[in-house]
Amino acid sequence: MARRTRHLIAFALAATLAGLTPPARAGQANWMEVNGVKIPIPPKEHPRLYLRAAHVAELPARLQDPVLQPAVERLRNLAKKRGQFRIEWDALQYLVTQDEKLGRATVEAALTFLKGMELPDRQDACRVTGRAMVTGALAYDWLYPLLLADEKPAFRGELVRLAKTQECSYPPTRQGSVTGHASEAQIMRDMLSAGIALYDEFPEMYDLAAGRFFREHLPVRNWLYEGHAYHQGDSYGPYRFSWDTFPLWIFARLGAGNVYNAEQQGVPYFYAYTTRPDGQRLRGGDTFAHSAPRGRPWGVGIGPLLTGSYYGDGYALGEHLRQGGIGDNEALFEFLWRDAKLEDKPREELPLSRYFGGPFGWMVARTGWDDQSVLAEMKVNVYNFANHQHLDAGAFQLYHKGALALDSGLYKGSSGAYGSPHCRNYYWRTIAHNSLLIHDPAEQFNPAAGYGNDGGQRLPNGRGEPRNLEVLTDPKNGYQTAEVLAHGFGPDAQAPDYTLLTGDLTRAYSDKVKQVVRSFVFLNLKNADVPGTLIVFDRVIASDPLFGKFWLLHTLEEPHVNGATAVVDRTEHGARGRLHLTALLPEPANCALGKVGGPGKEFWVFDQDFTNEVPADQVAKSSQEAGAWRIELSPKAPAAEDLFLTVMQTMDREPGTPLSVSRADAGTSVGCLLTGSAGNWLVLFPRDGGRGDGPVTFQTAGAATRVLVTGLAAGDWRAQGQGGRPQPVPVSAEAAAAWLTLPAGQWTLSKR
């Protein structure tokens, strides 16, 4: 209880600062212990599934509410097209009118529907039979006074029969509660709904479904909500988060209040921040882009609407209204649970940078919210949840007037189905991301299961899906892949000049490495010509100097490489963006910068292309961005330790003139100096990737230079110039960085 209270207090404070409303207080449900876990007891009344008597009294007004009219019309139209939706609409009408003739006809139609429901011959067929359980459950509960004595066991028999068609089985003991299909509707909506409806006559299904939910599903979600994000990528992530929101409302309507960690409210913000100006999202994990038409917003499912309505969060509602994505099967729940009085809030009010903490360790930085904006994503990946999440610790993405640095590969496609050679050897793997490879030619990645050697990160627990939080966090299973060392942005929290993230990625790799530390700094230059710049600094120590090291940047169009620089342009579908890359480390004499890709090498893994392509009938309309090229940066000479320092400037192709970039050496620190139309910017990193408390001496030029020194021990520091007064500089434990604006001269930053 103490931990739960701390969660609520912490989130209430954060919500106040962000203009959010904390959730309502818990209800008065009675609880009982079943098989060692406490679950709320369904009240002895009907209806109790999705709504109670007080909510029934509100239905006539909701049916006339102007805000809900699109949902009402949708339900009416669905009722005309499909008998299943007709049953649900008529059951709703019975609650409003108490028309017994209509009610009895609906009972009979529902029972006939259930008896005729069989597992269809299609992929994920149990989603069909599971949704049928919802129809049967609400008919049983909402029409309960009209059920005949012999109809109750008939309903029960059909609902149990359909429960046995689910992949999690019945009793629901199979599959995991963290990822996979059992973490979707099967337990958290379908069996839970049927169990609540049947509880008085047949408590078994509720006890089993609610018991597993509280024992396995709830603990891991309450743990991961601390990070205000969700695993499983840009498509499966919002889809699966939507299923989490059904127990939120189901148990609240039972009177149990909010059973979740209230920080669940923050999850929709991850989708808002990673949404591009074109309405798509930055790619992450297995993506549905093959079925998302270009030019349309990518839906976020019902999750933001239901969390927004429960927590009174206008920003979450705004994300739903912009992106949409509620399917026919969920339309009823918009009508039942949407807060019609809640007004959406514009995302333009939100800070431009946001950190998504453990178990994720992700940072997103933007220069704005319009179509001129730069969008940068930086990942540490404290944990890797497997399934639809990729092996991309340390990855980054950049978007400006088109995708400039992206995740590559295809989900689906001509040969990209889940588990295909393309997935196992390219798409899921580190080589398909803007990450680091350390190539040990003798390394084995479970070849018996079809995994080849991409030189990348290890397979956590063989990429097996974790059953529960205990399995996920057990060190011996290896799901933890990194540690965040520093994060922050400033000096203005609303429109920061800098955003930083540093992570130790060593655990993401096998024992072929001794250390991998990656630091990101994104600069919002607030300059029309060069609006944003991403700087990446890496320290890599291999266990064998002969292991190859590769810094990767994936592109859609062919890059133009010239010495230690490269240019990436976007020209397709009206895109106008340009990325200008400068490699400052390795040293020029030791720097090999090249490109890989093009026809026959789009998905190249050392000596083999794992071919995949968008089917011809989807090319014109698909929003798929598979990539076809990558830039590789490597040291020429073998060494155990290598440093990489790269600067990526974003701009329009016209005029497309980058700022001047040079390396800055400052003793134990190294970094870059940017000069030009955006002013002077100096960024320094510790060469050893750690935190130091020794002095850092550096040179500035020009009237004013914005300076960011990272990798500092927390405490009070001061900047001392030649002959001037020292300037106090506080360094927080989280950011471990100092930010200053200094005139020209030599400066020493020292700890007091």
Side-chain angles (χ1 to χ4, degrees):
M1 287 300 293
R3 183 172 184 268
R4 173 74 171 151
T5 301
R6 288 196 299 272
H7 287 160
L8 293 174
I9 292 173
F11 192 80
L13 176 60
T16 300
L17 294 174
L20 310 180
T21 303
R25 295 177 61 188
Q28 300 298 318
N30 293 317
W31 293 66
M32 63 180 176
E33 185 172 306
V34 175
N35 296 325
V37 64
K38 288 187 176 180
I39 61 177
I41 305 171
K44 290 186 176 299
E45 61 185 69
H46 295 275
R48 62 190 177 211
L49 178 62
Y50 310 146
L51 76 179
R52 304 281 286 281
H55 308 112
V56 171
E58 299 169 353
L59 288 177
R62 292 182 71 80
L63 286 166
Q64 300 301 319
D65 192 303
V67 173
L68 297 176
Q69 281 310 293
V72 171
E73 287 304 309
R74 185 178 186 183
L75 292 175
R76 283 199 183 104
N77 291 331
L78 288 172
K80 296 174 184 177
K81 296 177 182 178
R82 265 176 61 184
Q84 179 177 7
F85 293 133
R86 181 75 191 190
I87 293 166
E88 296 176 2
W89 176 254
D90 287 347
L92 182 67
Q93 296 305 307
Y94 167 77
L95 290 178
V96 174
T97 65
Q98 294 296 296
D99 182 337
E100 292 192 10
K101 182 177 180 182
L102 174 64
R104 275 300 309 158
T106 306
V107 168
E108 293 171 4
L111 194 51
T112 299
F113 166 74
L114 291 177
K115 289 179 178 178
M117 174 56 61
E118 298 292 341
L119 197 66
D121 183 15
R122 49 158 281 189
Q123 186 177 3
D124 302 327
C126 73
R127 291 174 181 168
V128 177
T129 51
R131 184 57 178 82
M133 293 176 67
V134 170
T135 302
L138 70 83
Y140 190 97
D141 180 63
W142 294 2
L143 303 164
Y144 188 82
L146 305 180
L147 296 178
L148 302 178
D150 61 341
E151 289 174 331
K152 292 180 182 179
F155 268 92
R156 180 181 71 221
E158 295 303 321
L159 290 171
V160 171
R161 178 180 68 84
L162 293 177
K164 291 180 178 179
T165 67
Q166 302 302 292
E167 292 177 14
C168 64
S169 190
Y170 184 81
T173 57
R174 295 181 182 173
Q175 299 186 322
S177 301
V178 182
T179 65
H181 293 177
S183 66
E184 299 176 352
Q186 297 179 47
I187 295 167
M188 291 197 288
R189 184 193 63 185
D190 305 341
M191 288 191 195
L192 198 56
S193 298
I196 290 170
L198 298 171
Y199 185 75
D200 295 337
E201 293 79 27
F202 183 69
E204 177 186 281
M205 187 177 295
Y206 175 76
D207 290 350
L208 290 170
R212 180 164 174 187
F213 171 78
F214 280 95
R215 183 181 302 106
E216 296 188 9
H217 291 75
L218 185 63
V220 70
R221 283 158 180 77
N222 282 347
W223 174 75
L224 68 87
Y225 289 154
E226 296 282 345
H228 290 185
Y230 211 83
H231 52 98
Q232 300 300 280
D234 62 57
S235 300
Y236 283 95
Y239 175 74
R240 287 185 173 163
F241 174 66
S242 291
W243 299 123
D244 292 8
T245 61
F246 279 83
L248 173 71
W249 279 91
I250 288 172
F251 287 115
R253 287 290 169 95
L254 284 185
N258 186 3
V259 299
Y260 283 111
N261 179 344
E263 297 194 32
Q264 178 190 51
Q265 180 182 356
V267 174
Y269 288 75
F270 177 66
Y271 305 123
Y273 274 85
T274 55
T275 295
R276 309 182 330 188
D278 62 0
Q280 300 179 33
R281 282 186 288 279
L282 292 178
R283 302 304 192 253
D286 294 342
T287 179
F288 296 160
H290 59 281
S291 59
R294 188 183 305 111
R296 296 186 190 176
W298 280 18
V300 288
I302 201 170
L305 176 64
L306 296 188
T307 51
S309 293
Y310 187 88
Y311 294 102
D313 187 340
Y315 296 114
L317 174 63
E319 186 64 13
H320 159 72
L321 294 177
R322 277 187 302 275
Q323 300 298 120
I326 296 180
D328 290 346
N329 282 333
E330 287 72 57
L332 174 65
F333 301 98
E334 177 183 5
F335 171 74
L336 292 176
W337 293 336
R338 178 174 176 176
D339 181 352
K341 295 183 176 60
L342 180 64
E343 295 183 359
D344 65 297
K345 291 187 176 182
R347 61 185 176 186
E348 288 77 12
E349 296 178 355
L350 296 172
L352 291 178
S353 293
R354 188 171 178 118
Y355 175 61
F356 301 91
F360 307 105
W362 301 336
M363 184 73 82
V364 179
R366 312 179 66 107
T367 61
W369 298 93
D370 61 13
D371 59 5
Q372 302 299 304
S373 301
V374 181
L375 177 54
E377 180 186 51
M378 299 152 266
K379 285 184 173 181
V380 169
N381 285 4
V382 179
Y383 277 80
N384 188 296
F385 292 75
N387 196 206
H388 296 294
Q389 183 178 354
H390 293 177
L391 300 168
D392 60 353
F396 62 85
Q397 292 188 72
L398 276 171
Y399 182 96
H400 177 55
K401 300 181 180 181
L404 297 171
L406 73 155
D407 288 358
S408 67
L410 281 169
Y411 187 57
K412 306 295 185 180
S414 60
S415 59
Y418 188 90
S420 67
H422 177 79
C423 280
R424 290 178 187 267
N425 291 283
Y426 188 81
Y427 185 53
W428 292 346
R429 307 293 292 280
T430 312
I431 198 169
H433 304 83
N434 302 317
S435 299
L436 290 162
L437 303 182
I438 299 91
H439 186 232
D440 170 7
E443 186 172 14
Q444 298 285 308
F445 289 87
N446 194 1
Y451 291 96
N453 182 358
D454 75 321
Q457 294 159 18
R458 61 181 176 80
L459 311 176
N461 204 22
R463 285 200 90 244
E465 297 176 17
R467 167 77 186 208
N468 52 35
L469 179 61
E470 182 180 4
V471 172
L472 179 64
T473 56
D474 188 335
K476 74 173 184 288
N477 295 323
Y479 289 107
Q480 184 171 358
T481 53
E483 177 186 1
V484 173
L485 300 180
H487 65 88
F489 46 84
D492 180 3
Q494 189 70 20
D497 290 341
Y498 73 88
T499 302
L500 68 89
L501 178 67
T502 298
D504 186 330
L505 314 179
T506 308
R507 277 190 275 190
Y509 296 86
S510 67
D511 59 6
K512 66 185 175 184
V513 305
K514 293 184 177 179
Q515 186 184 56
V516 179
V517 175
R518 168 161 278 193
S519 296
F520 305 96
V521 169
F522 178 78
L523 299 177
N524 181 356
L525 301 176
K526 300 173 184 175
N527 176 269
D529 294 333
V530 185
T533 294
L534 179 63
I535 305 162
V536 181
F537 175 71
D538 301 299
R539 183 183 191 228
V540 182
I541 304 177
S543 58
D544 187 326
L546 296 178
F547 293 165
K549 305 182 186 76
F550 301 87
W551 183 100
L552 306 179
L553 191 159
H554 287 269
T555 69
L556 283 163
E557 300 180 55
E558 183 176 2
H560 304 282
V561 178
N562 181 17
T565 66
V567 173
V568 177
D569 281 341
R570 289 291 290 114
T571 63
E572 299 172 329
H573 313 300
R576 295 182 52 84
R578 168 171 289 180
L579 182 152
H580 189 280
L581 168 70
T582 304
L584 298 175
L585 285 174
E587 299 276 357
N590 191 34
C591 173
L593 187 68
K595 59 186 176 182
V596 176
K601 284 194 172 183
E602 294 93 337
F603 312 118
W604 189 254
V605 182
F606 290 103
D607 59 356
Q608 182 178 354
D609 190 66
F610 289 92
T611 304
N612 196 11
E613 59 187 9
V614 179
D617 62 345
Q618 294 182 13
V619 170
K621 61 180 181 179
S622 172
S623 58
Q624 189 68 265
E625 295 175 341
W629 295 88
R630 70 176 179 262
I631 296 170
E632 292 187 348
L633 172 64
S634 296
K636 294 179 179 178
E641 177 180 346
D642 283 287
L643 303 181
F644 296 86
L645 177 60
T646 53
V647 179
M648 289 163 278
Q649 302 180 62
T650 61
M651 61 202 76
D652 194 292
R653 295 200 317 273
E654 298 295 336
T657 304
L659 304 178
S660 175
V661 177
S662 59
R663 200 176 85 208
D665 291 290
T668 58
S669 294
V670 65
C672 60
L673 175 65
L674 284 73
T675 60
S677 60
N680 303 323
W681 302 71
L682 174 65
V683 178
L684 295 174
F685 303 93
R687 289 178 177 271
D688 65 2
R691 293 189 181 191
D693 57 7
V696 181
T697 300
F698 53 87
Q699 190 78 28
T700 59
T705 300
R706 298 176 180 89
V707 180
L708 179 67
V709 182
T710 70
L712 301 178
D716 295 325
W717 291 65
R718 63 181 182 180
Q720 178 71 60
Q722 294 173 331
R725 288 186 176 182
Q727 298 184 26
V729 184
V731 173
S732 69
E734 285 186 339
W739 172 260
L740 313 95
T741 301
L742 300 172
Q746 180 172 295
W747 294 86
T748 298
L749 187 64
S750 57
K751 198 168 188 292
R752 299 171 70 179

